[in-house]
Amino acid sequence: MTDLLRDHVVLLGRSYRLLRRQPIWLAIMLVQPIVWLLLYSQLFGKLPRLGGFGTSNYLQFLTPGIAILGAFSHGVWEGGGVVQDIERGAIDRFLATPLPPGALLVSRAVQAAITATGQALVIVAVAFPFGARLDGGLPGLVAILIAASLVCVAFAALSHALALLFRRQETMIAVGQFAVLPLMFTSVMLTSAAQMPVWMRRVAGANPVNWAVEAARSAMLGTDWASVIVHLGALAVLVVAMETFALVALGRYQRSL
Amino acid sequence: MTDIITARNLTKRYGAVEAVADVSFAVAEGEVVCLLGPNGAGKSTTVRILATLTRADGGSAFVAGYDVHTQQRSVRAAIGYVAQSAGTDAYLTGRENLLVQAAAHRLRRSEASHRAAELLDLVGLAHAADRIVRTYSGGMQRRLEIAMGMVHRPRLLFLDEPTTGLDPEARATMWNELTGLAHERTLSILLTTHYLEEADRLADRIVIISHGRVIAEGTPEALKAGLAGDSVSIELAGSPPADMVMAAATVGARAVTLDGNLLRTRVEHGNQALPAILSRLAAAGCQIESASVARPTLDDVYLHHTGRSFTVDDDAARRAAVAG
């Protein structure tokens, strides 16, 4: 068990060293969601007048949504790194060591979760002085961070699976570009469910990004803890399913070598 | 001596492609063996089976005493595997790459940093140890990759095409370093290549693979000796009568040709046969301008074996065409 933990720490250490060598990525990860926060809050600031937002403060409504946007879009692009490792031969190099193969993916998922949590924390902290009150208090904050990390890991695992199946950077980019906007707009990230046509509300019900936004927003506003728990539970189940899919894809990759 | 690799009747197919049709060979402890063959012959697949990266469809293989199909962990701990693209991290330094690899092999931290320094010295990268790998030349990267394969002191090192893509100078440097490694005899090496010269220089023993089968095996010397012998060329002064020259030269020689004043023949042990031929020619009154003996190269061996198999394939195709 300690060996297994150590193996993950080794791989995490590798990716953080790599991240530190390319600080531009770190900067983008932190600045991008803040830019979104600024633009959307300015553009859609008057939306709460339409009703169904649960708060008259759009920034407070938007902040948990942006935390989830940062987390899930980070997850969607995770597979690119796997393709890069396949192309450079790093995956094969590690597969020929005593490291358990699954650790290659799980460590990446853990790293994605850490990144998503950090990003979400920064977003909530930046929005706070501008009036995005955290009515859910500390439990609310914890729930937002959990929602962000779960949705990030779910999409990261899916992205890892696709990377192992297709092994092409172009495919990963196409999937990423196709997925992000529809998933974002069929959720209550920017607007309330009350503003959605009925069919879109149905789609949102099946959209994991929407589950995460619902959980994070209820936690932010401190209004509906049952919704927080149900949506986090659904996300946890999804994480298990996606991680299983990713490990199956890894097995398939190994057999195809 | 015990064998560190024994492979028996390995087969592997990818869909309709039979990558490995029937490969059997053994590598003794401390030996450097080269799998030689053209691209697509099944060399890399064979190595990947032995390194536990790929499962064979049939046959069996033991590496360092462990079954590659059922004792993968033990095999992996005993081997170093350096693939054609060995996956260094371009944004880590040479030393960091070694430390990550050492950690993946569960070396303790202090041991790892000691070993990293030792290996950087060994492969001549001490001066570049703390530069990121992106700034390395192709040859330096390859040397780092080989060092990474040895970080855990494996008993056996797999090198898949260690010099492919290197310029001639870097290749020569690499050969020197590999020769140095092999010289210590503490490490067995199985390397693949499609460079004849490389196999000739580095290997104790060569296994020639073509179309997924072992078609010849032996020391470079034995493989070359198995050919029709050395070629002897003698340049004569003037134009002596052909029948006289032929009569003088045809002793123990397999074939003699005279082209103008150039006499060519193939004999076994050309070095020993040459003085006798020369004195017979001199006794017959020929004046000799120059003489040379060329040992058969692995090139000849390779063409002999692969050439034959290609001919067989052609014949089969022709027969099929005629029958159709």
Side-chain angles (χ1 to χ4, degrees):
Chain A
M1 191 59 212
T2 49
D3 265 357
L4 199 62
L5 188 67
R6 231 190 78 114
D7 293 338
H8 285 85
V9 171
V10 167
L11 292 167
L12 269 178
R14 167 184 178 248
S15 24
Y16 276 108
R17 269 175 198 270
L18 282 169
L19 191 61
R20 227 169 43 207
R21 290 292 143 74
Q22 294 153 289
I24 181 77
W25 289 113
L26 206 59
I28 288 174
M29 267 186 239
L30 290 177
V31 172
Q32 192 182 42
I34 292 167
V35 171
W36 289 334
L37 201 61
L38 176 77
L39 290 180
Y40 293 135
S41 64
Q42 294 297 301
L43 190 58
F44 300 132
K46 295 192 177 76
L47 276 185
R49 293 181 195 173
L50 295 172
F53 281 70
T55 171
S56 60
N57 179 346
Y58 186 67
L59 190 64
Q60 189 187 20
F61 178 88
L62 181 68
T63 298
I66 296 298
I68 298 307
L69 174 59
F72 109 89
S73 57
H74 179 70
V76 165
W77 296 110
E78 244 296 311
V82 173
V83 174
Q84 208 180 348
D85 274 359
I86 291 174
E87 283 172 349
R88 279 191 69 83
I91 295 260
D92 291 359
R93 166 161 67 89
F94 287 123
L95 286 177
T97 71
L99 283 180
L104 295 175
L105 297 183
V106 175
S107 71
R108 280 186 167 276
V110 170
Q111 193 203 3
I114 293 171
T115 305
T117 308
Q119 238 181 358
L121 197 61
V122 168
I123 292 162
V124 173
V126 167
F128 189 78
F130 294 96
R133 285 190 324 278
L134 188 55
D135 289 334
L138 189 61
L141 179 62
V142 170
I144 292 171
L145 300 184
I146 293 174
S149 60
L150 287 177
V151 76
C152 179
V153 169
F155 279 95
L158 176 62
S159 181
H160 292 160
L162 296 178
L164 288 162
L165 295 175
F166 295 109
R167 301 169 210 174
R168 283 173 59 101
Q169 212 61 265
E170 292 86 344
T171 308
M172 300 316 295
I173 292 170
V175 168
Q177 283 179 338
F178 178 78
V180 173
L181 288 182
L183 286 169
M184 178 177 158
F185 284 108
T186 56
S187 77
V188 293
M189 190 180 290
L190 301 177
T191 186
S192 72
Q195 306 306 318
M196 285 181 171
V198 176
W199 69 266
M200 204 183 268
R201 247 179 271 173
R202 292 211 182 101
V203 173
N207 176 359
V209 174
N210 189 61
W211 306 346
V213 176
E214 291 277 17
R217 180 161 301 128
S218 301
M220 180 89 178
L221 302 179
T223 45
D224 188 350
W225 292 101
S227 158
V228 173
I229 288 161
V230 168
H231 285 116
L232 289 184
L235 283 169
V237 171
L238 184 72
V239 164
V240 172
M242 287 302 157
E243 204 54 60
T244 307
F245 179 34
L247 292 174
V248 168
L250 180 64
R252 219 187 96 119
Y253 170 81
Q254 283 183 274
R255 277 194 302 282
S256 75
L257 287 177
Chain B
M1 237 188 315
T2 52
D3 286 339
I4 192 144
I5 300 179
T6 45
R8 283 191 213 99
N9 307 109
L10 292 175
T11 62
K12 175 76 183 179
R13 112 186 338 276
Y14 295 104
V17 182
E18 195 169 41
V20 175
D22 182 9
V23 168
S24 304
F25 67 95
V27 175
E29 196 104 37
E31 199 178 21
V32 179
V33 172
C34 181
L35 295 182
L36 176 67
N39 288 326
K43 306 182 299 284
S44 290
T45 307
T46 302
V47 168
R48 298 181 72 96
I49 291 170
L50 296 174
T52 75
L53 279 168
T54 302
R55 261 190 103 80
D57 297 332
S60 66
F62 287 82
V63 168
Y66 303 108
D67 187 326
V68 296
H69 288 137
T70 57
Q71 297 170 293
Q72 298 174 326
R73 279 284 184 96
S74 306
V75 171
R76 286 171 193 162
I79 62 160
Y81 169 70
V82 183
Q84 283 178 45
S85 54
T88 46
D89 288 314
Y91 285 96
L92 295 185
T93 67
R95 192 191 305 279
E96 286 171 331
N97 267 292
L98 280 164
L99 291 176
V100 170
Q101 188 71 10
H105 277 287
R106 297 175 174 164
L107 263 68
R108 250 189 286 270
R109 203 172 282 234
S110 57
E111 195 188 346
S113 62
H114 176 75
R115 182 70 177 146
E118 188 177 276
L119 284 169
L120 286 162
D121 255 346
L122 181 73
V123 299
L125 287 176
H127 66 286
D130 298 308
R131 262 165 55 194
I132 63 168
V133 169
R134 225 173 108 85
T135 66
Y136 283 20
S137 70
M140 289 165 77
Q141 280 196 34
R142 209 67 187 121
R143 267 144 54 206
L144 174 64
E145 288 164 1
I146 291 172
M148 285 165 73
M150 299 196 303
V151 79
H152 54 299
R153 300 177 197 279
R155 293 166 60 194
L156 170 67
L157 188 61
F158 292 104
L159 299 176
D160 202 357
E161 312 236 340
T163 64
T164 297
L166 297 187
D167 58 58
E169 198 187 338
R171 179 170 305 140
T173 312
M174 179 67 78
W175 284 350
N176 285 335
E177 300 202 348
L178 291 178
T179 311
L181 275 182
H183 199 68
E184 297 183 13
R185 293 282 157 195
T186 50
L187 181 68
S188 313
I189 301 179
L190 181 69
L191 73 133
T192 74
T193 187
H194 55 261
Y195 295 116
L196 302 154
E197 204 188 340
E198 185 163 301
D200 203 3
R201 270 205 55 174
L202 298 176
D204 297 323
R205 212 151 47 77
I206 296 174
V207 177
I208 300 182
I209 295 189
S210 176
H211 294 105
R213 290 171 198 279
V214 174
I215 56 169
E217 185 185 340
T219 63
E221 290 311 307
L223 286 172
K224 286 184 250 179
L227 272 193
D230 304 335
S231 66
V232 172
S233 310
I234 300 167
E235 199 187 340
L236 303 166
S239 326
D243 49 348
M244 186 190 77
V245 174
M246 300 290 270
T250 313
V251 174
R254 296 184 182 179
V256 181
T257 58
L258 182 64
D259 184 9
N261 61 346
L262 186 63
L263 178 73
R264 281 208 193 96
T265 181
R266 290 190 83 87
V267 293
E268 280 185 63
H269 309 298
N271 290 330
Q272 292 161 25
L274 185 62
I277 297 173
L278 292 180
S279 60
R280 285 179 63 88
L281 283 169
C286 298
Q287 273 206 311
I288 293 148
E289 292 278 330
S290 68
S292 65
V293 176
R295 307 274 298 119
T297 62
L298 264 184
D299 213 353
D300 300 322
V301 176
Y302 186 74
L303 281 177
H304 176 69
H305 288 288
T306 55
R308 189 175 58 191
S309 71
F310 290 144
T311 320
V312 168
D313 287 351
D314 284 352
D315 285 348
R318 211 172 299 126
R319 274 198 301 277
V322 170

